[in-house]
Amino acid sequence: MIDNVVIVGGGIAGVGTAAALRSGGFVGDITLVDAGEFPYDRPPLSKEFLAGTKQLADIALQPPQWYDEHKIRLITNTRVTAVRPSTGEVELFEGTALPADCVVLATGGRAARPPIPGSQDVHVLRTATDAEKLRAALQPGARLLVVGAGLIGAEVASTAVDLDCEVVLVDPVRPPLAHAVGAEIAAWLHGLHALRGVVTVRSGLESLHDTPSGIEAHLTATDKPREFDVVVLGVGMVPETALAEAAGLEVDRGIIVDRTQTTSNPAVLAVGDPARVRDDGILLRRAEHWEAAQHDGQRAAATVLGTPPPAETAPWFWTDRHHVHVEVVGDMAAAERTALRGTIGAPKFSAFGLRNGHVVGAVAVNDSTAVRAARRLIDRRIAVDTARLADPSIDLRQLLRG
Ligand SMILES: Cc1cc2nc3c(=O)[nH]c(=O)nc-3n(C[C@H](O)[C@H](O)[C@H](O)COP(=O)(O)OP(=O)(O)OC[C@H]3O[C@@H](n4cnc5c(N)ncnc54)[C@H](O)[C@@H]3O)c2cc1C
């Protein structure tokens, strides 16, 4: 019988766990500890928050009174420094010990900083503080170098154009995101940068040097260095696993969990960005997306409650850049072929990845309906006729009938 749950980390995974515990009928104590001022949402950090159109209070994951209303003890501005499943305790930075029959590690991650000479003090983007610092630097006319053209790098480039910065985006991979959205759509998405004045360079970053007038960047692909006022690294995240390692849990580029989010110690669960599932002996990739973190929380709550886990559904994420809304569901990389619905570059279009007559993934631009339909087609394993799928005049709901 679990009476006390301590959740370490107040991102969507941690807050999602607390919410799902209460909605599932958990009556024991829930304590949520977060290092920040209050639990806030991360996706806006590269979008509206960076643009200055939303402030910190606008991106709170829950209104302040929600925690009291749900009898969730929220402890902020401090860190959990140790998790001790053997004694059923969690220790805070101040030395306070909290009783915990079950600990949920929802510790997220930090922005990766590869060992590029001169890059130790340049901007990264993971926290609201990072975003505030970057926002202050993105003055009109600022010369910005964005390193990494994946999801976050591309969003920062897009927001910086809106802020009238001069943007150069470097990435050695061309086109970025091909594995997630397919090569053709990835190329189109990457091409949007140039249409909005972003200079894209296929290159890595070799080193950075401070000069009296800025930061000189040496790129691997060009001999001539280029000068910038602001540099931001958008090269991925590192899962926060230190507490898990110190507690003796199994860690391998993520905290290893099973399908119930249970770690190698049954009294500790892990959810969200740092959790890495081992399924049938195979280590899966960490998801690193918002909805996946929320679903982890719902599964962890079911584990605590001893109730059936929520139904599995195809993974989904979104990204916004240059005023287009992109959603991806399932696994486009698993597709043998693609059915395009509409025309790439039209205001709204989608592409469906198919394998053995079934949809395995989809990507949609400004078309949430297509993604919702694709998700149902994937989840229910409905066989589809490719020609009908690719015909925009056919309502996708018809295909859901099989
Ligand atoms: C800039 C940005 C934009 C993004 N945009 C999108 C998007 O458009 N679409 C999408 O699907 N996903 C997006 N993501 C990814 C998504 O936000 C993450 O997958 C999600 O936030 C993961 O949630 P989490 O709860 O696992 O971790 P986090 O949100 O990182 O939360 C972890 C929390 O744990 C706290 N913590 C860590 N260690 C301790 C400790 N020892 N004691 C106390 N507290 C601790 C941290 O302070 C943090 O608040 C974006 C991410 C970023 C950074």
Side-chain angles (χ1 to χ4, degrees), residues 316-329:
W316 167 86
F317 71 89
W318 83 98
T319 178
D320 296 299
R321 64 169 76 172
H322 302 307
H323 311 134
V324 300
H325 179 65
V326 183
E327 292 175 70
V328 180
V329 67

Side-chain angles (χ1 to χ4, degrees), residues 69-350:
E69 283 167 8
H70 290 80
K71 297 195 168 49
I72 294 161
R73 183 180 175 207
L74 177 63
I75 304 177
T76 54
N77 291 311
T78 191
R79 299 188 71 78
V80 167
T81 45
V83 169
R84 301 206 178 88
S86 55
T87 57
E89 275 178 352
V90 156
E91 189 183 280
L92 299 183
F93 177 76
E94 299 78 7
T96 320
L98 302 173
D101 303 330
C102 172
V103 178
V104 181
L105 293 174
T107 47
R110 55 187 185 279
R113 274 192 189 273
I116 300 166
S119 71
Q120 29 321 323
D121 296 325
V122 300
H123 292 269
V124 290
L125 185 51
R126 180 75 197 180
T127 65
T129 308
D130 295 337
E132 276 160 5
K133 284 188 197 154
L134 184 58
R135 187 205 281 178
L138 295 184
Q139 297 300 319
R143 299 164 300 171
L144 170 69
L145 172 65
V146 181
V147 183
L151 295 169
I152 291 178
E155 290 189 355
V156 170
S158 167
T159 303
V161 171
D162 289 339
L163 295 171
D164 290 329
C165 298
E166 282 176 30
V167 186
V168 175
L169 179 61
V170 299
D171 195 306
V173 177
R174 177 149 301 177
L177 298 186
H179 63 285
V181 300
E184 261 188 295
I185 293 180
W188 174 77
L189 277 173
H190 196 59
L192 291 179
H193 292 304
L195 291 179
R196 295 200 66 232
V198 174
V199 175
T200 57
V201 184
R202 184 176 185 173
S203 176
L205 173 66
E206 201 168 84
S207 61
L208 295 170
H209 304 268
D210 283 336
T211 68
S213 51
I215 307 167
E216 198 175 73
H218 292 255
L219 303 181
T220 51
T222 54
D223 291 337
K224 204 164 160 268
R226 239 182 129 131
E227 199 176 71
F228 298 92
D229 303 306
V230 188
V231 177
V232 57
L233 301 178
V235 292
M237 58 83 78
V238 180
E240 193 58 71
T241 59
L243 284 177
E245 279 168 64
L249 306 179
E250 189 184 356
V251 169
D252 182 351
R253 283 164 292 164
I255 308 168
I256 306 302
V257 294
D258 63 15
R259 286 279 181 198
T260 71
Q261 306 302 136
T262 306
T263 68
S264 54
N265 186 315
V268 185
L269 310 182
V271 290
D273 278 5
R276 187 168 184 208
V277 175
R278 184 191 283 123
D279 194 26
D280 271 345
I282 298 169
L283 278 178
L284 308 182
R285 278 172 67 114
R286 282 179 291 101
E288 295 181 21
H289 295 304
W290 190 94
E291 191 194 61
Q294 190 188 45
H295 285 174
D296 279 4
Q298 291 163 356
R299 260 191 306 277
T303 302
V304 171
L305 290 160
T307 53
E312 291 281 335
T313 175
W316 167 86
F317 71 89
W318 83 98
T319 178
D320 296 299
R321 64 169 76 172
H322 302 307
H323 311 134
V324 300
H325 179 65
V326 183
E327 292 175 70
V328 180
V329 67
D331 182 5
M332 286 296 278
E336 286 165 338
R337 59 207 170 85
T338 305
L340 181 64
R341 191 175 164 87
T343 311
I344 294 180
K348 169 173 148 176
F349 65 93
S350 52

Side-chain angles (χ1 to χ4, degrees), residues 44-68:
L45 298 182
S46 47
K47 308 174 183 76
E48 305 92 326
F49 187 81
L50 186 62
T53 55
K54 281 194 177 166
Q55 306 308 318
L56 194 56
D58 303 326
I59 64 168
L61 278 168
Q62 296 289 354
Q65 67 279 12
W66 181 86
Y67 299 92
D68 279 350

Side-chain angles (χ1 to χ4, degrees), residues 33-52:
V33 186
D34 190 74
E37 207 178 311
F38 57 80
Y40 59 82
D41 210 6
R42 247 156 255 276
L45 298 182
S46 47
K47 308 174 183 76
E48 305 92 326
F49 187 81
L50 186 62

